[in-house]
Coordinates of all heavy atoms in Angstrom, one line a residue:
A1484 N 5.5 2.0 33.6 CA 5.6 0.6 33.4 C 5.2 0.2 32.0 O 4.4 0.8 31.4 CB 4.7 -0.1 34.3
R1485 N 6.0 -0.7 31.5 CA 5.8 -1.2 30.1 C 4.6 -2.2 30.1 O 4.4 -3.0 31.0 CB 7.0 -1.9 29.7 CG 7.1 -2.1 28.2 CD 8.5 -2.5 27.8 NE 8.2 -3.0 26.4 CZ 9.0 -3.7 25.7 NH1 10.1 -4.1 26.3 NH2 8.8 -4.1 24.5
Y1486 N 3.8 -2.1 29.1 CA 2.6 -3.0 29.0 C 3.1 -4.4 28.6 O 4.1 -4.6 28.0 CB 1.6 -2.5 28.0 CG 2.0 -2.5 26.5 CD1 1.8 -3.6 25.7 CD2 2.7 -1.4 26.0 CE1 2.2 -3.6 24.4 CE2 3.2 -1.4 24.7 CZ 2.9 -2.5 23.9 OH 3.3 -2.5 22.6
H1487 N 2.3 -5.4 28.9 CA 2.6 -6.8 28.6 C 2.2 -7.1 27.3 O 1.0 -7.0 26.9 CB 1.9 -7.7 29.7 CG 2.2 -9.1 29.4 ND1 3.4 -9.7 29.5 CD2 1.4 -10.1 29.0 CE1 3.3 -11.0 29.2 NE2 2.1 -11.2 28.9
E1488 N 3.1 -7.6 26.4 CA 2.7 -8.0 25.1 C 2.5 -9.5 25.1 O 3.3 -10.3 25.7 CB 3.9 -7.8 24.1 CG 3.9 -6.5 23.5 CD 5.1 -6.3 22.5 OE1 5.3 -7.3 21.7 OE2 5.7 -5.3 22.5
P1489 N 1.5 -10.0 24.4 CA 1.3 -11.5 24.3 C 2.5 -12.0 23.5 O 3.1 -11.3 22.7 CB 0.0 -11.6 23.6 CG -0.4 -10.3 23.1 CD 0.4 -9.2 23.8
D1490 N 2.8 -13.3 23.7 CA 3.8 -13.9 22.9 C 3.4 -14.2 21.5 O 3.0 -15.4 21.2 CB 4.3 -15.2 23.6 CG 5.0 -14.9 25.0 OD1 5.6 -13.8 25.1 OD2 4.9 -15.7 25.9
S1491 N 3.4 -13.2 20.7 CA 2.9 -13.4 19.3 C 4.0 -13.1 18.3 O 3.7 -12.7 17.2 CB 1.7 -12.6 19.0 OG 2.0 -11.2 19.2
G1492 N 5.2 -13.2 18.7 CA 6.3 -12.9 17.7 C 7.0 -11.6 18.1 O 7.0 -11.2 19.3
S1493 N 7.7 -10.9 17.2 CA 8.5 -9.8 17.5 C 7.6 -8.6 17.7 O 6.5 -8.4 17.3 CB 9.4 -9.5 16.3 OG 8.7 -9.0 15.2
G1494 N 8.2 -7.6 18.4 CA 7.5 -6.4 18.7 C 7.1 -5.6 17.5 O 6.1 -4.9 17.4
S1495 N 8.0 -5.6 16.5 CA 7.8 -4.9 15.2 C 6.6 -5.4 14.5 O 5.8 -4.7 13.9 CB 9.0 -4.9 14.3 OG 9.3 -6.2 13.9
V1496 N 6.4 -6.7 14.5 CA 5.2 -7.3 13.9 C 3.9 -6.8 14.6 O 2.9 -6.4 14.0 CB 5.2 -8.8 13.9 CG1 3.9 -9.4 13.4 CG2 6.3 -9.3 13.0
H1497 N 4.0 -6.8 15.9 CA 2.9 -6.3 16.8 C 2.6 -4.8 16.5 O 1.4 -4.5 16.3 CB 3.2 -6.5 18.2 CG 2.1 -6.2 19.2 ND1 0.9 -6.9 19.2 CD2 2.0 -5.1 20.0 CE1 0.1 -6.3 20.1 NE2 0.7 -5.3 20.6
A1498 N 3.6 -4.0 16.4 CA 3.5 -2.6 16.1 C 2.9 -2.4 14.7 O 2.0 -1.6 14.5 CB 4.8 -1.9 16.2
K1499 N 3.3 -3.2 13.7 CA 2.8 -3.1 12.4 C 1.3 -3.4 12.4 O 0.5 -2.8 11.7 CB 3.5 -4.0 11.4 CG 3.1 -3.9 10.0 CD 3.7 -4.9 9.1 CE 2.8 -6.0 8.9 NZ 3.1 -6.9 7.8
D1500 N 0.9 -4.5 13.1 CA -0.5 -4.9 13.2 C -1.3 -3.8 13.8 O -2.5 -3.6 13.4 CB -0.6 -6.2 13.9 CG -0.1 -7.4 13.2 OD1 0.1 -7.3 11.9 OD2 0.2 -8.4 13.8
L1501 N -0.8 -3.1 14.8 CA -1.5 -2.0 15.5 C -1.7 -0.9 14.5 O -2.8 -0.2 14.5 CB -0.8 -1.5 16.7 CG -0.8 -2.4 17.9 CD1 0.1 -1.8 19.0 CD2 -2.2 -2.6 18.5
L1502 N -0.7 -0.6 13.7 CA -0.8 0.5 12.7 C -1.7 0.2 11.5 O -2.2 1.1 10.8 CB 0.6 0.9 12.2 CG 1.5 1.5 13.2 CD1 2.9 1.6 12.6 CD2 0.9 2.9 13.6
K1503 N -1.9 -1.1 11.2 CA -2.5 -1.5 9.9 C -3.9 -0.9 9.7 O -4.2 -0.3 8.8 CB -2.6 -3.0 9.9 CG -2.9 -3.5 8.5 CD -2.9 -5.1 8.6 CE -2.5 -5.7 7.3 NZ -2.3 -7.1 7.3
E1504 N -4.8 -1.1 10.7 CA -6.2 -0.7 10.6 C -6.3 0.8 10.4 O -6.9 1.3 9.5 CB -7.0 -1.2 11.7 CG -8.5 -0.9 11.5 CD -9.4 -1.4 12.6 OE1 -9.0 -2.4 13.3 OE2 -10.5 -0.8 12.7
P1505 N -5.6 1.6 11.3 CA -5.8 3.1 11.1 C -5.1 3.6 9.8 O -5.7 4.5 9.2 CB -5.0 3.7 12.3 CG -4.5 2.6 13.2 CD -5.0 1.3 12.5
I1506 N -4.0 3.0 9.4 CA -3.5 3.4 8.2 C -4.3 3.0 6.9 O -4.5 3.8 6.0 CB -2.0 2.9 8.0 CG1 -1.1 3.7 9.0 CG2 -1.5 3.1 6.6 CD1 0.3 3.2 9.0
F1507 N -4.8 1.8 7.0 CA -5.7 1.3 5.9 C -6.9 2.2 5.8 O -7.4 2.5 4.7 CB -6.0 -0.2 6.0 CG -5.0 -1.1 5.5 CD1 -3.7 -0.9 5.6 CD2 -5.4 -2.2 4.8 CE1 -2.8 -1.8 5.0 CE2 -4.5 -3.1 4.2 CZ -3.2 -2.9 4.4
D1508 N -7.5 2.6 6.9 CA -8.7 3.4 6.9 C -8.4 4.7 6.2 O -9.3 5.3 5.6 CB -9.2 3.7 8.3 CG -9.9 2.4 8.9 OD1 -10.2 1.5 8.2 OD2 -10.0 2.4 10.2
K1509 N -7.2 5.3 6.4 CA -6.8 6.6 5.8 C -6.1 6.4 4.5 O -5.9 7.4 3.8 CB -5.9 7.4 6.8 CG -6.5 7.7 8.1 CD -7.6 8.8 7.9 CE -8.1 9.2 9.2 NZ -9.4 10.0 9.1
L1510 N -5.9 5.2 4.0 CA -5.1 5.0 2.8 C -5.6 5.7 1.6 O -4.8 6.3 0.9 CB -4.9 3.5 2.6 CG -3.7 3.0 1.8 CD1 -2.4 3.7 2.2 CD2 -3.6 1.5 1.8
P1511 N -6.9 5.6 1.3 CA -7.4 6.3 0.1 C -7.1 7.8 0.1 O -6.6 8.4 -0.9 CB -8.9 6.1 0.1 CG -9.0 4.8 0.9 CD -8.0 4.8 1.9
D1512 N -7.3 8.5 1.3 CA -7.0 9.9 1.4 C -5.5 10.2 1.3 O -5.1 11.1 0.6 CB -7.5 10.5 2.7 CG -9.0 10.4 2.8 OD1 -9.7 10.5 1.7 OD2 -9.5 10.3 3.9
L1513 N -4.7 9.3 1.9 CA -3.2 9.5 1.8 C -2.8 9.4 0.4 O -1.9 10.2 0.0 CB -2.6 8.5 2.7 CG -2.7 8.7 4.2 CD1 -2.1 7.5 5.0 CD2 -2.0 9.9 4.7
I1514 N -3.2 8.4 -0.3 CA -2.8 8.1 -1.7 C -3.2 9.3 -2.6 O -2.5 9.8 -3.4 CB -3.3 6.8 -2.2 CG1 -2.6 5.7 -1.5 CG2 -3.1 6.7 -3.7 CD1 -3.2 4.3 -1.8
N1515 N -4.5 9.8 -2.4 CA -4.9 10.9 -3.2 C -4.2 12.2 -2.8 O -4.0 13.1 -3.7 CB -6.4 11.1 -3.0 CG -7.2 10.0 -3.6 OD1 -6.7 9.3 -4.6 ND2 -8.4 9.8 -3.1
L1516 N -3.7 12.3 -1.6 CA -2.9 13.5 -1.2 C -1.5 13.4 -1.8 O -1.0 14.4 -2.4 CB -2.8 13.5 0.3 CG -2.1 14.8 0.9 CD1 -2.9 16.0 0.6 CD2 -2.0 14.6 2.4
D1517 N -0.8 12.3 -1.7 CA 0.5 12.1 -2.3 C 0.8 10.6 -2.6 O 1.1 9.9 -1.7 CB 1.6 12.6 -1.3 CG 3.0 12.7 -2.0 OD1 3.3 11.8 -2.8 OD2 3.8 13.6 -1.7
A1518 N 0.5 10.2 -3.8 CA 0.5 8.8 -4.2 C 1.9 8.2 -4.0 O 2.0 7.1 -3.6 CB 0.0 8.6 -5.6
V1519 N 2.9 9.0 -4.4 CA 4.3 8.4 -4.4 C 4.7 8.2 -2.9 O 5.2 7.1 -2.6 CB 5.3 9.3 -5.1 CG1 6.7 8.8 -4.9 CG2 4.9 9.4 -6.6
Q1520 N 4.6 9.1 -2.0 CA 5.0 8.9 -0.7 C 4.2 7.9 0.0 O 4.7 7.1 0.9 CB 5.0 10.2 0.1 CG 6.1 11.1 -0.3 CD 6.3 12.3 0.6 OE1 5.4 12.6 1.5 NE2 7.4 13.0 0.5
S1521 N 2.8 7.8 -0.3 CA 2.0 6.8 0.4 C 2.3 5.4 -0.1 O 2.4 4.5 0.7 CB 0.5 7.1 0.0 OG 0.1 8.4 0.5
T1522 N 2.6 5.3 -1.4 CA 3.1 4.0 -1.9 C 4.4 3.6 -1.4 O 4.6 2.4 -1.1 CB 3.1 4.1 -3.5 OG1 1.8 4.5 -3.9 CG2 3.4 2.7 -4.1
Q1523 N 5.3 4.6 -1.2 CA 6.6 4.3 -0.5 C 6.4 3.8 0.9 O 7.0 2.8 1.3 CB 7.4 5.6 -0.5 CG 8.8 5.4 -0.1 CD 9.6 6.7 -0.2 OE1 9.1 7.8 -0.5 NE2 10.9 6.5 -0.1
L1524 N 5.4 4.4 1.6 CA 5.1 3.9 3.0 C 4.6 2.5 3.0 O 5.0 1.7 3.8 CB 4.0 4.8 3.6 CG 3.5 4.3 4.9 CD1 4.5 4.5 6.0 CD2 2.2 5.1 5.3
I1525 N 3.8 2.2 2.0 CA 3.3 0.8 1.9 C 4.4 -0.2 1.6 O 4.5 -1.2 2.2 CB 2.2 0.7 0.7 CG1 0.9 1.5 1.1 CG2 1.9 -0.8 0.4 CD1 0.0 1.8 0.0
A1526 N 5.3 0.3 0.7 CA 6.5 -0.6 0.4 C 7.4 -0.8 1.7 O 7.9 -1.9 1.9 CB 7.4 0.0 -0.7
E1527 N 7.5 0.2 2.5 CA 8.4 0.1 3.7 C 7.7 -0.7 4.8 O 8.4 -1.4 5.5 CB 8.8 1.5 4.1 CG 9.7 2.2 3.2 CD 10.0 3.6 3.6 OE1 9.6 4.0 4.7 OE2 10.7 4.3 2.8
V1528 N 6.4 -0.5 5.0 CA 5.8 -1.1 6.2 C 4.9 -2.3 5.9 O 4.9 -3.2 6.6 CB 4.9 0.0 6.9 CG1 4.2 -0.6 8.1 CG2 5.8 1.2 7.2
F1529 N 4.3 -2.3 4.7 CA 3.3 -3.3 4.4 C 3.6 -4.1 3.1 O 2.7 -4.6 2.4 CB 1.9 -2.7 4.2 CG 1.4 -2.0 5.5 CD1 1.3 -0.6 5.5 CD2 1.1 -2.7 6.6 CE1 0.9 0.0 6.6 CE2 0.6 -2.0 7.7 CZ 0.5 -0.7 7.8
I1530 N 4.9 -4.3 2.8 CA 5.3 -5.0 1.6 C 4.7 -6.4 1.5 O 4.4 -6.8 0.4 CB 6.8 -5.0 1.4 CG1 7.2 -5.4 0.0 CG2 7.5 -5.8 2.4 CD1 6.7 -4.5 -1.1
E1531 N 4.6 -7.1 2.6 CA 4.0 -8.4 2.6 C 2.5 -8.4 2.4 O 1.9 -9.4 2.1 CB 4.3 -9.2 3.9 CG 5.7 -9.2 4.4 CD 6.0 -8.0 5.2 OE1 5.2 -7.4 5.9 OE2 7.2 -7.6 5.3
D1532 N 1.9 -7.2 2.5 CA 0.5 -7.0 2.5 C 0.0 -6.3 1.2 O -1.1 -5.8 1.2 CB -0.1 -6.3 3.7 CG 0.4 -6.9 5.0 OD1 0.3 -8.2 5.1 OD2 0.9 -6.3 5.9
V1533 N 0.8 -6.3 0.1 CA 0.4 -5.5 -1.1 C -0.9 -6.0 -1.6 O -1.7 -5.2 -2.0 CB 1.6 -5.6 -2.1 CG1 1.1 -5.0 -3.4 CG2 2.8 -4.9 -1.6
E1534 N -1.1 -7.3 -1.7 CA -2.4 -7.8 -2.2 C -3.5 -7.3 -1.4 O -4.6 -7.0 -1.9 CB -2.3 -9.3 -2.3 CG -3.4 -9.9 -3.1 CD -3.4 -9.5 -4.5 OE1 -2.4 -9.5 -5.2 OE2 -4.5 -9.2 -5.0
E1535 N -3.3 -7.3 -0.1 CA -4.4 -6.8 0.8 C -4.7 -5.3 0.6 O -5.8 -4.9 0.7 CB -4.0 -7.1 2.3 CG -5.1 -6.8 3.3 CD -4.7 -7.2 4.7 OE1 -3.7 -7.9 4.9 OE2 -5.4 -6.8 5.6
V1536 N -3.6 -4.6 0.4 CA -3.7 -3.1 0.1 C -4.6 -3.0 -1.1 O -5.5 -2.2 -1.2 CB -2.4 -2.4 0.0 CG1 -2.5 -1.0 -0.6 CG2 -1.7 -2.4 1.3
I1537 N -4.3 -3.7 -2.2 CA -5.0 -3.6 -3.4 C -6.4 -4.0 -3.3 O -7.3 -3.3 -3.8 CB -4.3 -4.4 -4.6 CG1 -2.9 -3.7 -4.9 CG2 -5.1 -4.5 -5.8 CD1 -2.0 -4.6 -5.7
S1538 N -6.7 -5.1 -2.6 CA -8.0 -5.6 -2.3 C -8.8 -4.5 -1.5 O -10.0 -4.3 -1.8 CB -8.1 -6.9 -1.5 OG -7.5 -7.9 -2.3
F1539 N -8.1 -3.9 -0.6 CA -8.8 -2.8 0.2 C -9.2 -1.7 -0.6 O -10.3 -1.1 -0.4 CB -7.8 -2.4 1.4 CG -8.4 -1.3 2.3 CD1 -9.3 -1.7 3.3 CD2 -8.1 0.0 2.0 CE1 -9.8 -0.7 4.1 CE2 -8.7 1.0 2.9 CZ -9.6 0.6 3.9
L1540 N -8.3 -1.3 -1.6 CA -8.6 -0.2 -2.5 C -9.6 -0.5 -3.6 O -10.0 0.4 -4.3 CB -7.3 0.4 -3.0 CG -6.3 1.0 -2.0 CD1 -5.0 1.4 -2.7 CD2 -7.0 2.3 -1.4
D1541 N -9.8 -1.8 -3.8 CA -10.6 -2.2 -5.0 C -12.1 -2.0 -4.7 O -12.7 -2.8 -3.9 CB -10.3 -3.6 -5.4 CG -10.8 -4.0 -6.7 OD1 -11.1 -3.1 -7.5 OD2 -10.8 -5.3 -7.0
G1542 N -12.7 -1.0 -5.2 CA -14.1 -0.7 -5.0 C -14.4 0.6 -5.7 O -13.5 1.5 -5.9
K1543 N -15.7 0.8 -5.9 CA -16.1 2.0 -6.6 C -15.6 3.3 -5.9 O -15.2 4.2 -6.6 CB -17.6 2.0 -6.8 CG -18.1 1.3 -8.0 CD -17.8 2.1 -9.2 CE -18.4 1.5 -10.5 NZ -17.8 1.8 -11.7
E1544 N -15.8 3.3 -4.6 CA -15.4 4.6 -3.9 C -13.9 4.9 -3.9 O -13.5 6.0 -3.6 CB -16.0 4.6 -2.5 CG -15.3 3.7 -1.5 CD -16.1 2.4 -1.2 OE1 -17.1 2.2 -1.8 OE2 -15.6 1.7 -0.4
N1545 N -13.1 3.9 -4.2 CA -11.7 4.1 -4.1 C -11.0 3.9 -5.5 O -9.8 3.7 -5.6 CB -11.0 3.1 -3.2 CG -11.5 3.3 -1.7 OD1 -11.6 4.5 -1.3 ND2 -11.6 2.3 -1.0
E1546 N -11.8 4.0 -6.6 CA -11.1 3.8 -7.9 C -10.0 4.8 -8.2 O -9.0 4.4 -8.7 CB -12.2 4.0 -9.0 CG -13.0 2.8 -9.3 CD -14.0 3.0 -10.4 OE1 -14.2 4.1 -10.9 OE2 -14.5 2.0 -10.9
I1547 N -10.2 6.1 -7.8 CA -9.1 7.0 -8.1 C -7.9 6.7 -7.2 O -6.8 6.8 -7.7 CB -9.6 8.5 -7.8 CG1 -10.7 8.8 -8.8 CG2 -8.5 9.5 -7.8 CD1 -11.4 10.1 -8.5
S1548 N -8.1 6.3 -6.0 CA -7.0 5.9 -5.1 C -6.2 4.7 -5.7 O -5.0 4.7 -5.7 CB -7.4 5.6 -3.7 OG -8.1 6.7 -3.1
L1549 N -7.0 3.7 -6.1 CA -6.3 2.5 -6.7 C -5.6 2.9 -8.0 O -4.4 2.5 -8.2 CB -7.4 1.4 -7.0 CG -6.8 0.1 -7.5 CD1 -5.8 -0.5 -6.5 CD2 -8.0 -0.8 -7.8
F1550 N -6.2 3.7 -8.8 CA -5.4 4.2 -10.0 C -4.2 4.9 -9.6 O -3.1 4.7 -10.2 CB -6.3 5.1 -10.9 CG -5.6 5.7 -12.0 CD1 -5.3 5.0 -13.1 CD2 -5.1 7.0 -11.9 CE1 -4.6 5.6 -14.2 CE2 -4.4 7.6 -12.9 CZ -4.1 6.9 -14.0
N1551 N -4.2 5.8 -8.7 CA -3.1 6.6 -8.3 C -2.0 5.7 -7.6 O -0.8 5.9 -7.9 CB -3.5 7.7 -7.3 CG -4.2 8.8 -7.9 OD1 -4.1 9.1 -9.1 ND2 -5.1 9.5 -7.1
F1552 N -2.4 4.7 -6.9 CA -1.5 3.7 -6.3 C -0.7 3.0 -7.5 O 0.5 2.9 -7.5 CB -2.3 2.7 -5.4 CG -1.4 1.6 -4.9 CD1 -0.5 1.8 -3.9 CD2 -1.5 0.3 -5.4 CE1 0.2 0.7 -3.4 CE2 -0.8 -0.7 -4.9 CZ 0.1 -0.5 -3.9
F1553 N -1.5 2.4 -8.4 CA -0.9 1.7 -9.5 C 0.0 2.7 -10.4 O 1.1 2.3 -10.8 CB -2.0 1.1 -10.4 CG -2.5 -0.2 -9.9 CD1 -3.9 -0.5 -10.2 CD2 -1.8 -1.1 -9.2 CE1 -4.5 -1.6 -9.7 CE2 -2.4 -2.3 -8.8 CZ -3.7 -2.6 -9.0
H1554 N -0.5 3.9 -10.6 CA 0.2 4.8 -11.4 C 1.6 5.2 -10.8 O 2.6 5.3 -11.5 CB -0.6 6.1 -11.7 CG 0.0 7.0 -12.6 ND1 0.1 6.8 -13.9 CD2 0.6 8.2 -12.4 CE1 0.7 7.8 -14.5 NE2 1.1 8.7 -13.6
A1555 N 1.6 5.4 -9.5 CA 2.9 5.7 -8.8 C 3.9 4.6 -9.1 O 5.1 4.9 -9.2 CB 2.6 5.9 -7.3
I1556 N 3.4 3.4 -9.1 CA 4.3 2.2 -9.3 C 4.7 2.0 -10.7 O 5.9 2.0 -11.1 CB 3.7 0.9 -8.7 CG1 3.4 1.1 -7.3 CG2 4.6 -0.2 -9.0 CD1 2.5 0.0 -6.7
I1557 N 3.7 2.0 -11.6 CA 3.9 1.6 -13.0 C 4.5 2.7 -13.8 O 5.3 2.4 -14.7 CB 2.6 1.1 -13.6 CG1 2.1 -0.2 -12.9 CG2 2.7 0.9 -15.1 CD1 0.7 -0.7 -13.3
S1558 N 4.2 3.9 -13.5 CA 4.8 5.1 -14.2 C 6.3 5.3 -14.0 O 6.9 6.0 -14.7 CB 4.0 6.4 -13.9 OG 4.3 6.8 -12.6
G1559 N 6.8 4.7 -12.9 CA 8.2 4.9 -12.5 C 8.4 6.0 -11.5 O 9.5 6.3 -11.1
S1560 N 7.3 6.7 -11.2 CA 7.4 7.8 -10.2 C 8.0 7.3 -8.9 O 8.8 8.0 -8.2 CB 6.1 8.5 -10.0 OG 5.6 9.1 -11.1
L1561 N 7.5 6.2 -8.4 CA 8.0 5.7 -7.1 C 9.5 5.3 -7.3 O 10.3 5.6 -6.4 CB 7.2 4.5 -6.7 CG 7.7 3.8 -5.4 CD1 7.6 4.8 -4.2 CD2 6.8 2.5 -5.1
T1562 N 9.9 4.7 -8.4 CA 11.3 4.3 -8.6 C 12.2 5.5 -8.6 O 13.3 5.5 -8.0 CB 11.5 3.5 -9.8 OG1 10.7 2.3 -9.8 CG2 12.9 3.1 -10.1
K1563 N 11.7 6.7 -9.1 CA 12.5 7.9 -9.1 C 12.7 8.4 -7.7 O 13.8 8.8 -7.3 CB 11.8 9.0 -9.9 CG 12.0 8.8 -11.4 CD 11.3 9.9 -12.2 CE 11.2 9.5 -13.7 NZ 10.2 10.2 -14.4
A1564 N 11.6 8.3 -6.9 CA 11.7 8.8 -5.5 C 12.4 7.8 -4.6 O 13.1 8.2 -3.6 CB 10.3 9.0 -4.9
D1565 N 12.3 6.5 -4.9 CA 12.9 5.4 -4.0 C 13.3 4.3 -4.9 O 12.5 3.4 -5.3 CB 11.9 5.0 -3.0 CG 12.5 4.0 -2.0 OD1 13.5 3.3 -2.3 OD2 11.9 3.9 -0.9
P1566 N 14.6 4.3 -5.3 CA 15.1 3.2 -6.3 C 15.0 1.8 -5.7 O 15.1 0.9 -6.5 CB 16.6 3.6 -6.5 CG 16.7 5.0 -6.1 CD 15.6 5.3 -5.0
M1567 N 14.8 1.6 -4.4 CA 14.6 0.3 -3.9 C 13.1 -0.1 -3.9 O 12.8 -1.2 -4.3 CB 15.1 0.2 -2.5 CG 16.7 0.4 -2.4 SD 17.6 -0.8 -3.2 CE 17.4 -2.2 -2.1
A1568 N 12.2 0.8 -3.4 CA 10.8 0.4 -3.3 C 10.1 0.2 -4.6 O 9.3 -0.7 -4.7 CB 10.1 1.5 -2.4
G1569 N 10.4 1.1 -5.6 CA 9.7 1.0 -6.9 C 9.8 -0.3 -7.5 O 8.8 -1.0 -7.8
P1570 N 11.0 -0.8 -7.8 CA 11.2 -2.2 -8.4 C 10.5 -3.3 -7.6 O 10.0 -4.2 -8.2 CB 12.6 -2.3 -8.6 CG 13.2 -1.0 -8.6 CD 12.4 -0.2 -7.7
V1571 N 10.6 -3.2 -6.3 CA 10.0 -4.3 -5.5 C 8.5 -4.3 -5.6 O 8.0 -5.4 -5.8 CB 10.5 -4.1 -4.0 CG1 9.7 -5.0 -3.0 CG2 12.0 -4.3 -3.8
L1572 N 7.9 -3.2 -5.5 CA 6.4 -3.1 -5.7 C 6.0 -3.5 -7.1 O 5.0 -4.2 -7.3 CB 5.9 -1.7 -5.3 CG 5.6 -1.5 -3.9 CD1 5.1 -0.1 -3.6 CD2 4.5 -2.5 -3.4
L1573 N 6.8 -3.0 -8.1 CA 6.5 -3.4 -9.5 C 6.5 -4.9 -9.7 O 5.7 -5.5 -10.4 CB 7.4 -2.7 -10.4 CG 7.1 -2.8 -11.9 CD1 5.7 -2.3 -12.2 CD2 8.1 -2.0 -12.7
A1574 N 7.5 -5.5 -9.1 CA 7.6 -7.0 -9.2 C 6.5 -7.7 -8.5 O 6.2 -8.9 -8.9 CB 9.0 -7.4 -8.6
N1575 N 5.8 -7.0 -7.5 CA 4.7 -7.7 -6.8 C 3.4 -7.5 -7.6 O 2.4 -8.2 -7.2 CB 4.6 -7.0 -5.4 CG 5.5 -7.7 -4.4 OD1 5.2 -8.8 -4.0 ND2 6.5 -7.0 -4.0
L1576 N 3.4 -6.7 -8.6 CA 2.1 -6.6 -9.4 C 2.0 -7.7 -10.4 O 3.0 -8.0 -11.1 CB 2.1 -5.2 -10.1 CG 2.1 -4.0 -9.3 CD1 2.0 -2.7 -10.1 CD2 1.0 -4.0 -8.2
T1577 N 0.8 -8.2 -10.5 CA 0.5 -9.3 -11.4 C 0.0 -8.7 -12.8 O -0.3 -7.6 -12.8 CB -0.5 -10.3 -10.8 OG1 -1.8 -9.5 -10.8 CG2 -0.1 -10.8 -9.5
P1578 N -0.1 -9.6 -13.8 CA -0.7 -9.1 -15.0 C -2.1 -8.6 -14.8 O -2.6 -7.7 -15.4 CB -0.7 -10.4 -15.9 CG 0.5 -11.1 -15.5 CD 0.6 -10.9 -14.0
A1579 N -2.9 -9.2 -13.8 CA -4.2 -8.8 -13.5 C -4.2 -7.4 -12.9 O -5.1 -6.6 -13.2 CB -4.9 -9.8 -12.5
H1580 N -3.2 -7.1 -12.1 CA -3.1 -5.7 -11.6 C -2.8 -4.7 -12.7 O -3.4 -3.6 -12.7 CB -1.9 -5.6 -10.6 CG -2.2 -6.4 -9.4 ND1 -1.2 -7.1 -8.8 CD2 -3.3 -6.7 -8.6 CE1 -1.6 -7.7 -7.7 NE2 -2.9 -7.5 -7.6
H1581 N -2.0 -5.1 -13.7 CA -1.7 -4.2 -14.8 C -3.0 -4.0 -15.6 O -3.2 -2.9 -16.1 CB -0.6 -4.8 -15.7 CG 0.8 -4.7 -15.1 ND1 1.6 -3.6 -15.3 CD2 1.5 -5.5 -14.3 CE1 2.7 -3.7 -14.6 NE2 2.7 -4.9 -14.0
Q1582 N -3.8 -5.1 -15.8 CA -5.0 -5.0 -16.5 C -6.0 -4.1 -15.8 O -6.7 -3.2 -16.4 CB -5.6 -6.4 -16.7 CG -7.0 -6.4 -17.4 CD -6.8 -6.0 -18.9 OE1 -5.7 -6.2 -19.5 NE2 -7.8 -5.3 -19.5
T1583 N -6.1 -4.2 -14.5 CA -6.9 -3.3 -13.7 C -6.5 -1.8 -13.8 O -7.3 -0.9 -14.0 CB -6.9 -3.7 -12.2 OG1 -7.3 -5.0 -12.1 CG2 -7.7 -2.8 -11.4
Y1584 N -5.2 -1.6 -13.8 CA -4.7 -0.2 -14.1 C -5.1 0.3 -15.4 O -5.6 1.5 -15.5 CB -3.1 -0.3 -14.0 CG -2.4 1.0 -14.3 CD1 -2.6 2.2 -13.6 CD2 -1.5 1.1 -15.4 CE1 -2.0 3.4 -13.9 CE2 -0.9 2.2 -15.7 CZ -1.1 3.4 -15.0 OH -0.4 4.5 -15.3
L1585 N -5.0 -0.5 -16.5 CA -5.5 -0.1 -17.8 C -6.9 0.2 -17.8 O -7.4 1.2 -18.4 CB -5.1 -1.1 -18.8 CG -3.6 -1.3 -19.1 CD1 -3.3 -2.5 -20.0 CD2 -3.0 0.0 -19.7
V1586 N -7.7 -0.6 -17.2 CA -9.2 -0.4 -17.1 C -9.5 0.9 -16.4 O -10.4 1.7 -16.8 CB -9.9 -1.6 -16.5 CG1 -11.3 -1.3 -16.1 CG2 -9.8 -2.8 -17.3
L1587 N -8.8 1.2 -15.3 CA -9.0 2.4 -14.6 C -8.6 3.7 -15.3 O -9.1 4.8 -15.0 CB -8.3 2.3 -13.2 CG -8.8 1.4 -12.2 CD1 -7.9 1.2 -11.0 CD2 -10.2 1.7 -11.7
M1588 N -7.7 3.5 -16.3 CA -7.3 4.7 -17.1 C -8.5 5.2 -17.8 O -8.7 6.3 -18.1 CB -6.2 4.3 -18.1 CG -4.9 4.1 -17.5 SD -3.7 3.7 -18.8 CE -2.4 4.8 -18.4

């Protein structure tokens, strides 16, 4: 039997919300393992939540992860791997994000 979903919009939004916490919890490790593929996953699933991803990674214990996330986008590595996701994520970065990337260097 199929479980009953509350009337909160589409099923895909509900599924994304279910995945958000476990993926965010593992995000620093995933980014450190493979920054480009992890950033591509963020672009595909959490594009509306990029600011939340950056806020989640912003902290002393995740400095390397945040740097690797920004580096995958700003260096062009993501664009080489995914010509659609790279420019979209790059367009979502603000001058403050670029400044943070430079400080983390």
